[in-house]
Amino acid sequence: MKATIKIEKTHFNFKHTLLLLIILPFLSCQEQFSMIDPPSNNNNEDSTEVDGYFVKTNGTGDGTSWDDAMSPDDFISRLNDGFETDDNIYIAGGVYYTGKQATDVMMISKALNIVGGFDPNSSGNNIEIQYPSAFETIFSADLNNNNTPDAGDCRIMEITTIGTIKLNGITLTNGFVNEGENRPCIQINNGARLELEYCKITNNKSAITASANAGGAAIYIKNGTVNCFKTEISDNRSDNRGGAIRLAESNSGSSTLILNSCLIKDNVLTGAYGGAIQVSGSNCPIYCINTTITNNKANLGGAGINSGFDVYLINSTVVNNTCNDGTQGHDIRCESTNKFVIINSIVTGNPEKTNNTNPSICINGATKSIISRGYNIIGNHGGTGSYTTHTSDIYGKYLDDIFGINTLEANNGYPFSIALKQNFQGAPLATLLSFAMSQFPYGDIAVDQRGETRADPSSIGAFEFK
């Protein structure tokens, strides 16, 4: 039995109505990925309009209300086939273990909307919430309770549906795997679309070294789309091919990653290629807007991003990512031909580690290339490929030049960002709009990572200087 409750529908932010009225006709023929604001916390009234279930750590009921919330075991056991397509599931703050033994995993075979962050003391049918929430809903694989992903812990989530899974306000942590083809945290197999909003994926580990099965400790997209908004992916670790995220292909299916207003930080790759993000397929695009990728580490080959396919960076900051061997690029390693495009973004590192033979950007191959659409700050680039320059680009600037104190802070927004020490005047909004219409139909180019309105012309990178 399901409770009938009121849910506020999510929507686009229309405070830049004129800009959207200009851009939307151009996007009408393309698949759009809505980047939405969280529901507002307006009242505590109950209502009876939309179906849903309720879950609490101490629940014992059938899930028809917060007062009769279902138990974690009931919720986990029903995930595979016990809910109906597009059911809404509301989860109170607390820790929810994703299994009882190392071979367990949350298997999701239907499209579901899973919403976390509710007060554990909630009652009735109230589902009003505002993010980021003070009540963390945690999906944990830490079966041995040592806060370390290691032997004895299980995986977290495998998505086998072809539909859409939506996670709001969920933390996924301590997933572990050391053999086989599986990944420890989120694995997408069959063309699903996963939407993450105000989520956190942290402290997961893949200990696999064989290149075909390694990497993607936080997210592994074998075939599907992951669309992240206001999401942090941090402190994940892999032994090869993608410390946090790995995109690949299966049965000719494509994989797509969209990062909008996200923070990707402190992920570690003990092996090679993609300290934070690794692309291992020929049809695996990345779209990155208003996002900070920082402090990730790898042994070799792009501690920020390593890709041989389409990458589009707009209004983003990729800085201070470090390889032990920097000869193939500290921040970015490109193996793409005319498909790696950067505009109004910062890509640079620590000048003590970045030089002509250890560049911020390595273009790895004589036929490979990166295209600048202008208004970028680049430490330097190297390798045997070509970098198409733009007269508005700024070269030879490093961390101290741009940020002063290179620290992640709230800066009156969410998630954390790195503040500019001075304004580096970037692209006019019309230029960004033109780029978005032609190649980047995701997100709002008129705001920064925090949601602050951008000036015209804007500042370079994910942070708008005020």
Side-chain angles (χ1 to χ4, degrees):
M1 179 179 179
K2 293 185 287 185
T4 307
I5 55 178
K6 179 180 179 181
I7 180 171
E8 179 175 326
K9 293 184 179 180
T10 54
H11 56 276
F12 277 108
N13 181 356
F14 282 100
K15 66 181 179 180
H16 303 292
T17 305
L18 180 59
L19 192 63
L20 288 170
L21 288 174
I22 296 172
I23 192 172
L24 286 175
F26 290 88
L27 304 183
S28 60
C29 62
Q30 304 182 60
E31 183 180 5
Q32 298 180 37
F33 297 81
S34 67
M35 297 302 179
I36 60 178
D37 291 329
S40 61
N41 189 13
N42 295 325
N43 57 65
N44 292 318
E45 296 179 359
D46 295 339
S47 181
T48 54
E49 293 182 11
V50 177
D51 295 333
Y53 292 93
F54 299 84
V55 185
K56 287 185 177 181
T57 57
N58 60 351
T60 58
D62 58 7
T64 54
S65 71
W66 288 120
D67 304 298
D68 290 309
M70 70 172 61
S71 69
D73 286 348
D74 193 9
F75 162 65
I76 297 295
S77 67
R78 295 176 67 173
L79 269 178
N80 186 31
D81 202 30
F83 295 110
E84 296 178 12
T85 298
D86 294 327
D87 269 346
N88 300 306
I89 305 167
Y90 305 99
I91 307 182
V95 179
Y96 299 80
Y97 292 98
T98 61
K100 296 183 181 297
Q101 57 189 0
T103 55
D104 289 344
V105 63
M106 298 167 66
M107 192 72 69
I108 301 180
S109 60
K110 289 183 178 178
L112 296 172
N113 306 315
I114 302 175
V115 186
F118 292 96
D119 187 338
N121 295 316
S122 295
S123 61
N125 290 340
N126 173 44
I127 58 167
E128 298 293 335
I129 192 168
Q130 186 172 27
Y131 293 119
S133 170
F135 307 102
E136 191 174 17
T137 297
I138 301 171
F139 290 175
S140 174
D142 188 20
L143 303 187
N144 56 20
N145 291 298
N146 65 356
N147 200 33
T148 300
D150 54 16
D153 294 331
C154 64
R155 296 191 292 142
I156 297 180
M157 181 180 296
E158 185 169 342
I159 297 173
T160 60
T161 179
I162 60 172
T164 298
I165 305 294
K166 297 180 180 180
L167 301 182
N168 288 57
I170 303 291
T171 294
L172 303 99
T173 187
N174 284 310
F176 177 79
V177 65
N178 65 358
E179 60 183 19
E181 298 181 0
N182 295 315
R183 269 62 177 189
C185 190
I186 296 176
Q187 178 167 322
I188 300 174
N189 293 329
N190 298 322
R193 176 176 158 188
L194 173 64
E195 297 185 357
L196 301 169
E197 297 192 16
Y198 288 87
C199 290
K200 185 176 182 180
I201 307 176
T202 186
N203 202 35
N204 300 284
K205 181 177 180 181
S206 169
I208 299 173
T209 57
S211 63
N213 300 328
I219 300 173
Y220 174 63
I221 316 173
K222 189 176 182 180
N223 175 10
T225 296
V226 173
N227 179 5
C228 301
F229 177 65
K230 295 284 188 182
T231 289
E232 176 185 315
I233 301 173
S234 60
D235 297 291
N236 301 284
R237 176 172 176 150
S238 297
D239 287 344
N240 201 356
R241 299 298 200 283
I245 303 171
R246 185 173 183 180
L247 286 72
E249 293 176 281
S250 175
N251 300 321
S252 300
S254 63
S255 295
T256 301
L257 175 66
I258 303 154
L259 300 172
N260 183 357
S261 303
C262 294
L263 174 61
I264 317 296
K265 73 177 184 74
D266 296 323
N267 300 286
V268 176
L269 178 67
T270 58
Y273 307 124
I277 303 170
Q278 160 70 11
V279 174
S280 300
S282 58
N283 192 15
C284 301
I286 298 172
Y287 299 89
C288 184
I289 180 172
N290 290 331
T291 289
T292 297
I293 302 174
T294 188
N295 298 334
N296 301 286
K297 300 184 185 303
N299 187 50
L300 173 75
I305 300 172
N306 180 63
S307 177
F309 196 67
D310 298 18
V311 177
Y312 301 96
L313 293 182
I314 178 172
N315 298 350
S316 291
T317 298
V318 185
V319 299
N320 204 33
N321 303 286
T322 306
C323 293
N324 295 329
D325 179 348
T327 57
Q328 294 190 39
H330 284 295
D331 293 289
I332 288 174
R333 181 176 183 264
C334 169
E335 293 185 298
S336 172
T337 302
N338 296 328
K339 294 180 179 180
F340 202 123
V341 186
I342 307 175
I343 184 172
N344 210 59
S345 294
I346 303 171
V347 184
T348 191
N350 189 327
E352 295 178 0
K353 297 181 178 180
T354 307
N355 51 50
N356 289 337
T357 58
N358 295 272
S360 293
I361 298 173
C362 175
I363 307 170
N364 192 59
T367 63
K368 313 305 180 184
S369 60
I370 290 179
I371 300 172
S372 169
R373 290 295 180 85
Y375 309 95
N376 298 304
I377 299 176
I378 306 296
N380 65 345
H381 56 80
T384 58
S386 63
Y387 186 98
T388 303
T389 61
H390 192 279
T391 56
S392 60
D393 287 340
I394 302 171
Y395 294 94
K397 295 287 186 182
Y398 298 95
L399 299 180
D400 291 346
D401 304 317
I402 302 166
F403 304 109
I405 300 175
N406 177 37
T407 58
L408 286 160
E409 296 180 349
N411 293 315
N412 297 314
Y414 185 90
F416 277 22
S417 55
I418 310 174
L420 297 169
K421 74 174 184 180
Q422 67 184 67
N423 188 35
F424 290 89
Q425 185 171 297
L429 293 184
T431 300
L432 296 175
L433 177 60
S434 176
F435 179 82
M437 286 190 296
S438 63
Q439 299 188 39
F440 204 106
Y442 309 113
D444 187 350
I445 59 95
V447 299
D448 73 354
Q449 178 179 310
R450 303 164 295 163
E452 292 283 342
T453 301
R454 287 192 178 271
D456 190 9
S458 63
S459 299
I460 300 177
F463 181 92
E464 184 67 24
F465 185 88
K466 297 292 186 179

